[in-house]
Amino acid sequence: MKWQKLIKVAFQSILKNRMRSLLTMLGIIIGVASVIALVGLGQGSQADIEKQVSSMGTNLLIIHQGSSFSGGVRGGTGTQASLSMEDVAALREKPLTIQYVSPVIRLNEQVIAGKKNWNTAIEGVSQSYLNIRNYRLSRGSFFTPRDIKAKAKVAVLGKTVVDELFPGQDPVGTRIRIRNVPFVVVGVLGSKGQTAMGSDQDDVILVPDTTAFYRLSDGKAIRAIMVSAVSEDLMTDAEADVRKVLRHAHKLPEGEEDDFHVRSQTELISVASKVTGTLTALLSAIAGVSLLVGGIGIMNIMLVSVTERTREIGIRMAIGARGGDILIQFLIEAVILSLIGGIFGIMAGVGIAFGIGKATGTSVVVSTWVILATVIFTASVGVFFGFYPAKKASALNPIEALRYE
Amino acid sequence: MDVIVLENIHKVFRLGGETVRALNGVSLTIHKGEYVAVMGASGSGKSTLMNVLGCLDQASMGGYRLEGLCVTAMNKHQLADVRNSKIGFVFQGFNLLPRTSALENVELPLLYSRHSSGVSHRDKARSALDKVGLSDRMDHHPNQLSGGQQQRVAIARALVNDPAIILADEPTGNLDSKTTLDILSVFKSLNDKGITLIMVTHEPDVASHAKRVITMRDGIIIDDRNVDQKDRVVAP
């Protein structure tokens, strides 16, 4: 029998019992829709993370303080005050691999502006921090090398801080107080939004590193140093240089462990995408179970259909259909049933994914290969669960089938 | 030419613990162009004989040659192909596919045919419907046709592959007497064109339209005679 004829017969039989076919497909529709929606959202947030990384700069290296070790107790990262302004100066002398260097002296402080106050992160950074983090200024200017040299009390505010302390106003030129030290606002950062982890990158005040180091942090050590390599290709060389410079500056003898940690941004990203990837896979697997349940629904309805159409099978066999012809006919019906369900499911899933994405602000990525894989998978569900009923139909005895009432 | 040669056919069924000998040594030769009626009470074995002749069932013992082909040695696939190309079935209950037009019903055997001829399926089906006088009802579905018309569609379906024989199992069993004569006249005209017909019936009136009547009882042929044309029951 020709394919188009087989497909036509299958459609006729599916359309004959519209309600029944729709209910049968529902299992597949729900399964496919949830898989598509979950994968779409998962890939979307992965893409978000990757975008974040490239916006932060893929050639970024972050150096943290090492862990303390005393009396057999190891502290976590940053417990050992090992980074100093001298380290920053030393790193600046490696221009072949390292382009920008900025310390990050981070404090959490209550900031007061007029009658309003707000608790936010104060970051003491150098001028090149703007380049390292890809920040842009939306208003005013950034602090100058002179400001840094003079430990000037100037501040650049993130957008969230401006919204909280100066709603609807231009803060440039006004005064704020950080730890009772008055600062002049010289600029406002352009918005960067949230990180992949959900922390607000605009809830920050940048001040000169020297100001932070000497006026705000009581001369505490530097928490981190951010370094950008000259190019992405030189990341490994840059990392090696950082190690060498810092080990030399810290006078570490050979064989001793580093008293600092160097992390690249890509490393962070890969961890983050691994987490979302695992989560997506897990949720999709659960959704896949409903696909199997849908497949069982198809098998059930196909068995009913075979019984209902016993006489038709008998007629077809009497006029010369082989068992294989009958098998193919019912198999195609099962596959078409599940494929239509799959197509409805894909449409529903894409709709749901974009709906949730719009509501939560996550990106949605529906890739062709996911749709293709879903189509192939639903077709295989049809073949797998349609086979037993089709086999049963093909094994009928024509004499008995013809006599069936 | 001998279309059908049966030699000492036996068919044994086991129902529960009981053994039923439905056919108990049937030998029969049917020539091309014959019009044979098989008569007998229920349980006489005529339906089993029909199933064996129609290659729906295999004999337990004995030989069956259809147009020289040894059917007894065939497997399921080969039997399906023989049914498709050499046998046309007409059933008591018409057995048309519901919700399918007359034309598509007639086309059905062609779809399962393994030898394709140059003529299109549509054209073959049209000409078969033409032969049974239904060319004006091709697009009607079975539920839009009367019993007699449905049986004509079934006959057209049996004809469409140019079979060696047409097997009719109680073809008039569900029809009133007028329609019965109608269908019998279709058979007569087909037979006049040289088509070999075998018809199972328990009605002597119907059987008398055939040229040869075989009577069965207890799985054997007890009577086999040619009908004198003048003995025929003529429609009033």
Side-chain angles (χ1 to χ4, degrees):
Chain A
M1 217 167 169
K2 280 196 208 121
W3 286 101
Q4 65 244 47
K5 207 81 197 172
L6 282 167
I7 289 165
K8 193 184 157 200
V9 169
F11 268 108
Q12 276 171 349
S13 145
I14 288 166
L15 289 175
K16 205 168 70 192
N17 298 298
R18 263 164 237 248
M19 194 61 192
R20 186 168 90 182
S21 304
L22 192 71
L23 289 173
T24 310
M25 284 176 208
L26 208 57
I28 297 285
I29 293 174
I30 291 169
V32 169
S34 32
V35 170
I36 290 280
L38 284 169
V39 172
L41 287 167
Q43 289 195 318
S45 51
Q46 234 158 327
D48 279 348
I49 294 168
E50 271 152 39
K51 217 167 80 191
Q52 209 102 51
V53 174
S54 51
S55 83
M56 284 180 91
T58 40
N59 47 359
L60 188 66
L61 287 172
I62 303 169
I63 305 148
H64 285 281
Q65 295 171 334
S67 54
S68 66
F69 186 80
S70 62
V73 180
R74 292 190 70 195
T77 300
T79 47
Q80 188 185 14
S82 58
L83 298 176
S84 65
M85 289 301 257
E86 286 71 40
D87 293 340
V88 177
L91 288 169
R92 284 202 175 109
E93 264 145 49
K94 279 282 170 191
L96 277 181
T97 54
I98 295 167
Q99 195 176 14
Y100 300 116
V101 181
S102 172
V104 180
I105 300 150
R106 201 180 155 96
L107 308 139
N108 271 301
E109 288 297 340
Q110 207 68 24
V111 180
I112 301 162
K115 285 179 178 162
K116 291 188 187 318
N117 69 88
W118 180 248
N119 188 291
T120 188
I122 317 294
E123 286 183 355
V125 296
S126 76
Q127 220 204 340
S128 48
Y129 191 67
L130 220 51
N131 304 86
I132 296 173
R133 292 290 309 272
N134 280 335
Y135 270 120
R136 267 170 233 296
L137 284 172
S138 68
R139 261 198 208 112
S141 59
F142 206 61
F143 30 83
T144 60
R146 255 178 68 191
D147 289 335
I148 288 174
K149 217 167 184 181
K151 306 177 190 91
K153 288 173 276 183
V154 290
V156 175
L157 310 188
K159 193 179 166 293
T160 307
V161 178
V162 173
D163 290 346
E164 294 296 336
L165 295 179
F166 303 95
Q169 297 167 40
D170 183 355
V172 175
T174 56
R175 275 170 190 281
I176 56 170
R177 281 190 297 152
I178 303 168
R179 221 188 233 204
N180 276 331
V181 180
F183 279 76
V184 177
V185 178
V186 293
V188 176
L189 294 170
S191 177
K192 276 190 81 137
Q194 294 192 337
T195 65
M197 312 307 197
S199 65
D200 185 357
Q201 299 185 84
D202 299 328
D203 193 3
V204 69
I205 296 178
L206 301 184
V207 297
D209 51 357
T210 48
T211 315
F213 192 71
Y214 296 108
R215 292 190 196 273
L216 296 176
S217 74
D218 314 325
K220 264 199 269 169
I222 297 167
R223 212 178 131 114
I225 299 173
M226 285 199 185
V227 169
S228 73
V230 170
S231 75
E232 223 178 305
D233 306 332
L234 287 172
M235 285 289 279
T236 0
D237 296 328
E239 196 176 331
D241 277 353
V242 165
R243 279 229 154 77
K244 213 162 78 193
V245 167
L246 290 183
R247 285 187 71 88
H248 185 257
H250 296 178
K251 300 188 174 67
L252 295 174
E254 208 150 317
E256 183 145 338
E257 253 185 81
D258 289 348
D259 59 354
F260 54 88
H261 297 287
V262 184
R263 290 221 177 86
S264 67
Q265 198 59 27
T266 37
E267 214 176 307
L268 283 173
I269 295 319
S270 77
V271 172
S273 15
K274 217 167 143 187
V275 170
T276 42
T278 315
L279 215 64
T280 306
L282 194 76
L283 289 171
S284 306
I286 294 168
V289 172
S290 64
L291 259 180
L292 287 188
V293 176
I296 294 166
I298 286 186
M299 176 143 85
N300 189 18
I301 274 315
M302 289 309 295
L303 282 171
V304 172
S305 181
V306 167
T307 312
E308 268 184 359
R309 287 153 72 193
T310 301
R311 206 176 166 84
E312 177 195 322
I313 295 164
I315 297 168
R316 288 181 186 273
M317 284 180 158
I319 61 172
R322 290 184 181 181
D325 293 322
I326 303 293
L327 184 98
I328 285 286
Q329 185 189 330
F330 279 87
L331 215 49
I332 283 181
E333 195 174 319
V335 169
I336 287 179
L337 206 57
S338 75
L339 267 183
I340 294 175
I343 288 164
F344 283 158
I346 287 169
M347 293 195 286
V350 170
I352 290 166
F354 278 103
I356 293 177
K358 202 153 195 186
T360 60
T362 336
S363 311
V364 174
V365 176
V366 181
S367 51
T368 340
W369 75 260
V370 169
I371 289 183
L372 210 69
T374 314
V375 168
I376 292 168
F377 187 71
T378 40
S380 339
V381 164
V383 172
F384 185 79
F385 288 101
F387 189 79
Y388 173 67
K391 187 79 199 163
K392 211 178 145 187
S394 73
L396 285 174
N397 177 336
I399 299 169
E400 280 162 27
L402 277 170
R403 232 182 265 143
Y404 187 85
E405 293 296 331
Chain B
M1 191 187 138
D2 299 339
V3 180
I4 287 174
V5 180
L6 292 182
E7 279 167 352
N8 197 24
I9 291 283
H10 289 255
K11 181 72 192 178
V12 181
F13 294 107
R14 274 175 222 289
L15 289 174
E18 219 175 322
T19 307
V20 178
R21 297 181 173 278
L23 294 177
N24 222 340
V26 173
S27 296
L28 177 67
T29 301
I30 293 171
H31 306 287
K32 190 166 167 44
E34 276 200 279
Y35 184 1
V36 184
V38 180
M39 291 200 62
S42 75
S44 62
K46 62 182 194 303
S47 289
T48 308
L49 178 65
M50 204 64 172
N51 288 337
V52 170
L53 285 175
C55 298
L56 289 165
D57 208 350
Q58 288 274 48
S60 311
M61 208 176 87
Y64 173 20
R65 299 171 82 80
L66 177 65
E67 282 198 321
L69 285 171
C70 183
V71 174
T72 25
M74 286 184 176
N75 63 26
K76 263 165 66 178
H77 293 326
Q78 291 168 314
L79 286 176
D81 292 350
V82 167
R83 287 199 296 274
N84 182 254
S85 59
K86 300 212 177 293
I87 298 165
F89 287 98
V90 178
F91 301 98
Q92 178 174 2
F94 320 136
N95 278 343
L96 299 176
L97 293 188
R99 281 171 285 262
T100 306
S101 74
L103 193 64
E104 284 177 304
N105 261 296
V106 175
E107 263 183 342
L108 208 56
L110 299 168
L111 299 178
Y112 294 113
S113 175
R114 259 149 257 275
H115 342 267
S116 57
S117 66
V119 190
S120 87
H121 291 175
R122 233 2 56 125
D123 290 344
K124 276 192 166 181
R126 279 209 186 92
S127 93
L129 277 168
D130 211 25
K131 278 181 205 160
V132 297
L134 265 186
S135 32
D136 53 337
R137 294 269 195 288
M138 292 196 196
D139 299 323
H140 290 223
H141 287 199
N143 58 353
Q144 298 167 315
L145 297 169
S146 71
Q149 287 168 336
Q150 287 187 54
Q151 196 61 300
R152 281 165 187 256
V153 174
I155 294 169
R157 183 180 65 189
L159 280 173
V160 76
N161 254 345
D162 297 319
I165 50 167
I166 287 186
L167 285 176
D169 190 358
E170 302 274 11
T172 59
N174 285 11
L175 302 174
D176 59 39
S177 55
K178 189 179 170 297
T179 322
T180 297
L181 290 176
D182 197 34
I183 292 300
L184 288 172
S185 78
V186 173
F187 281 153
K188 167 102 174 47
S189 71
L190 293 176
N191 182 240
D192 287 346
K193 285 176 196 150
I195 289 168
T196 315
L197 276 165
I198 302 168
M199 171 171 75
V200 167
T201 181
H202 61 270
E203 293 175 70
D205 287 0
V206 173
S208 68
H209 285 257
K211 291 181 189 161
R212 177 180 171 192
V213 177
I214 291 165
T215 312
M216 293 191 66
R217 188 194 293 159
D218 301 331
I220 50 166
I221 293 172
I222 53 164
D223 188 43
D224 183 352
R225 67 171 81 178
N226 289 321
V227 177
D228 210 337
Q229 290 302 306
K230 65 178 186 286
D231 287 351
R232 269 198 180 200
V233 180
V234 181

